[in-house]
């Protein structure tokens, strides 16, 4: 303060009364209206009441998913579905293989069409691969204490007994569609003073530390610009109004949006999720399995039930073993903290054709796979270095 007053004395010696501007803004900042210090951003536990059936509910979540109640009547055991015996599809023709190869080469700016057009196909070998997919559609529920700015809603805390999480009726989406709903649990809401701003509705402006003014960025607080020229940015004051708070020194509380009060309630989060897992039968074509994730195949078998029975009697025993393992794992895993609504299993036959061709005395290979007839070329024999100017 002593240093500041010395500075003011220096300015008073000037004939242009600049020191009065300094003194005015210093005292304005010094005696600015007090604003409550910021409170905790996370609501204290004392804000929330004790609701029977929701004792483990925490603010901000973290309580975990709530296990569904046991069904009143035992569910029927899953029934095995009939398994078709026709597991084969015809291979593609040589004309289709050549056409797709030419289209692939034409779409590459640095590829010559010569190998695709002039190459001689010497062998086409089919590697039909099976993909087993298990989908388990579940509903899970979790609760958390939540707050929102109070806007006059009726507080119904303890007016009646709050329903348990799994007693609240909710309309779900179509089967196997991911979706999420947030619902205010009835009879759990009450209004409380905002903990962040101490019910003032305002918070100190972080940009100016609550003073309402900032040092002028043009003259750095001197009031002068370029020697003895008066600063036009701040009118020789050395400070200018804070643009963030418009000179008020305070901003609206972000927690209560200036309402001073908060509505506290228990939020029920309902999540529907389609849990998908695939198994692809190993094939020795040389094409990596990861390439098959972007294509579809011919659906040979599809079965949907509340609880599924594994697929048995498949020509490839590894697929039957995978079906048995995945069905058991899904039913054990997802029935603990969620409700299984439906399961679905699908077997697709994904066509893979390995094409061997000869061009300029060399032997080369490419693959055509999926219903989309996608092309994979491990090593195209006629590429060039090109650049875009």
């Amino acid at each position: 303060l002593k240093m500041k007053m010395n500075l003011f004395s220096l300015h008073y010696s000037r004939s242009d009364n600049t020191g009065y501007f300094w003194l005015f803004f210093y005292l304005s900042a010094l005696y600015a209206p007090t604003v409550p210090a910021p409170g905790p951003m996370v609501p204290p536990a004392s804000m929330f009441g004790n609701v029977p059936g929701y004792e483990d509910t925490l603010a901000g979540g973290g309580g975990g998913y709530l296990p569904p109640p046991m069904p009143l009547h035992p569910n029927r055991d899953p029934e095995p579905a009939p398994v078709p015996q026709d597991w084969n599809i015809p291979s593609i023709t040589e004309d289709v293989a050549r056409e797709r190869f030419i289209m692939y080469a034409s779409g590459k700016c640095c590829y010559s069409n010569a190998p695709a057009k002039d190459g001689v196909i010497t062998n086409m070998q089919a590697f039909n691969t099976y993909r087993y997919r298990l989908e388990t559609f579940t509903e899970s529920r979790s609760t958390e204490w939540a707050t929102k700015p109070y806007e006059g809603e009726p507080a119904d805390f303890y007016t009646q007994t709050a329903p348990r999480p799994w007693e609240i009726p909710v309309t779900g989406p179509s089967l196997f569609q991911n979706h999420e709903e947030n619902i205010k649990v009835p009879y759990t809401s009450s209004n409380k003073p905002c903990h962040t701003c101490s019910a003032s509705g305002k918070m100190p402006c972080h940009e100016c530390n609550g003073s309402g003014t900032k040092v002028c960025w043009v003259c750095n607080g001197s009031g002068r610009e370029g020697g003895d020229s008066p600063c036009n940015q701040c009118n020789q004051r050395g400070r200018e109004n804070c643009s963030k708070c418009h000179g008020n020194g305070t901003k609206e509380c972000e927690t209560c949006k200036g309402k001073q009060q908060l509505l506290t309630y228990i939020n029920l989060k309902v999540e529907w999720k389609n849990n998908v897992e695939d198994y692809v039968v190993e094939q020795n074509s040389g094409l990596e399995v990861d390439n098959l994730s972007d294509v579809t195949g011919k659906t040979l078998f599809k079965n949907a039930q509340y609880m599924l029975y594994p697929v048995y009697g498949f020509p490839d025993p590894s697929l039957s073993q995978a079906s048995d393992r995945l069905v058991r794992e899904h039913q054990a895993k997802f029935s603990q903290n969620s409700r299984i609504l439906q399961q679905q299993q699908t077997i697709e036959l994904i066509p893979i054709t390995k094409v061997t061709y000869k061009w300029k005395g060399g032997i080369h290979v490419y693959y055509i796979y999926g219903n989309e007839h996608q092309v994979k070329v491990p090593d195209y024999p006629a590429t060039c270095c090109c650049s875009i100017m």
Side-chain angles (χ1 to χ4, degrees):
L1 179 60
K2 184 177 182 180
M3 293 177 63
K4 290 287 186 180
M5 295 308 295
N6 290 337
L7 180 62
F8 294 146
S9 299
L10 178 63
H11 279 288
Y12 286 140
S13 65
R14 301 176 58 93
S15 61
D16 56 3
N17 295 326
T18 305
Y20 287 108
F21 289 104
W22 281 91
L23 180 61
F24 173 78
F25 278 95
Y26 174 72
L27 294 178
S28 297
L30 184 64
Y31 297 105
T34 58
V35 178
M41 296 304 294
V42 178
S46 58
M47 283 189 66
F48 309 112
N50 185 19
V51 181
Y54 294 87
E55 290 81 5
D56 295 330
T57 299
L58 305 176
Y65 289 104
L66 306 169
M70 295 295 293
L72 298 177
H73 304 286
N75 297 307
R76 293 188 307 168
D77 292 333
E79 299 177 0
V83 178
Q85 300 301 318
D86 181 17
W87 302 106
N88 298 310
I89 60 175
S91 301
I92 63 173
T93 64
E94 185 173 319
D95 290 340
V96 173
R98 185 181 303 279
E99 177 187 352
R100 297 300 298 182
F101 194 26
I102 293 174
M103 290 177 60
Y104 170 83
S106 300
K108 304 289 185 178
C109 64
C110 297
Y111 282 20
S112 167
N113 286 340
K117 291 182 177 180
D118 304 332
V120 178
I121 295 178
T122 59
N123 186 40
M124 293 178 58
Q125 188 175 2
F127 289 87
N128 292 336
T129 302
Y130 303 105
R131 176 168 60 200
Y132 173 82
R133 172 168 293 172
L134 176 62
E135 301 172 75
T136 301
F137 186 56
T138 60
E139 176 189 347
S140 58
R141 300 192 178 196
S142 60
T143 58
E144 63 176 354
W145 278 104
T147 62
K148 66 179 291 292
Y150 180 66
E151 297 177 344
E153 302 95 331
D156 58 5
F157 186 72
Y158 267 144
T159 57
Q160 291 189 39
T161 302
R164 299 298 195 267
W166 286 95
E167 296 174 351
I168 300 175
V170 183
T171 301
S174 301
L175 291 175
F176 306 107
Q177 299 294 317
N178 293 336
H179 187 61
E180 184 178 306
E181 290 279 352
N182 286 280
I183 302 170
K184 184 170 66 175
V185 177
Y187 313 119
T188 63
S189 61
S190 59
N191 59 309
K192 300 292 177 98
C194 179
H195 58 280
T196 303
C197 64
S198 300
S200 68
K202 298 179 179 180
M203 292 290 291
C205 176
H206 295 295
E207 192 72 17
C208 63
N209 294 322
S211 67
T213 62
K214 296 176 61 178
V215 174
C216 176
W217 64 274
V218 175
C219 65
N220 291 322
S222 67
R224 295 285 169 175
E225 180 182 1
D228 289 334
S229 300
C231 178
N232 295 322
Q233 175 68 24
C234 62
N235 294 326
Q236 306 180 60
R237 296 178 302 178
R239 299 183 69 85
E240 55 183 339
N241 286 344
C242 175
S243 60
K244 297 294 183 179
C245 64
H246 306 290
N248 295 321
T250 60
K251 295 179 66 177
E252 181 182 87
C253 175
E254 296 182 358
T255 302
C256 68
K257 304 301 181 184
K259 302 295 185 181
Q260 304 180 2
Q261 299 284 316
L262 294 175
L263 184 74
T264 67
Y265 60 95
I266 294 180
N267 180 70
L268 173 65
K269 176 183 175 182
V270 186
E271 183 179 4
W272 292 271
K273 186 176 180 180
N274 189 28
N275 304 275
V276 184
E277 204 160 350
D278 290 345
Y279 170 79
V280 178
V281 176
E282 289 290 336
Q283 39 82 24
N284 299 317
S285 66
L287 182 68
E288 296 182 359
V289 172
D290 292 342
N291 291 298
L292 304 180
S293 61
D294 297 329
V295 298
T296 60
K298 178 184 177 181
T299 301
L300 302 177
F301 172 72
K302 193 170 188 177
N303 179 30
Q305 294 185 37
Y306 159 65
M307 297 282 270
L308 283 174
Y309 198 83
V311 173
Y312 292 131
F314 191 76
D316 191 312
S318 67
L319 189 143
S320 297
Q321 294 170 5
S323 173
D324 182 77
R325 174 178 58 83
L326 291 176
V327 167
R328 294 178 186 275
E329 288 179 357
H330 274 219
Q331 293 177 358
K333 176 181 179 181
F334 297 117
S335 60
Q336 294 181 4
N337 294 318
S338 59
R339 175 182 287 168
I340 296 178
L341 302 178
Q342 191 86 348
Q343 286 188 300
Q344 180 172 270
Q345 56 187 352
T346 308
I347 298 177
E348 292 176 284
L349 194 151
I350 303 176
I352 301 175
T353 302
K354 181 179 181 180
V355 182
T356 305
Y357 67 101
K358 186 176 182 180
W359 185 71
K360 287 190 175 182
I363 303 299
H364 308 279
V365 170
Y366 65 91
Y367 300 90
I368 298 180
Y369 57 98
N371 288 340
E372 298 81 1
H373 291 165
Q374 289 199 21
V375 178
K376 179 70 175 179
V377 183
D379 187 16
Y380 195 76
T383 61
C384 63
C385 295
C386 58
S387 60
I388 301 175
M389 300 301 293

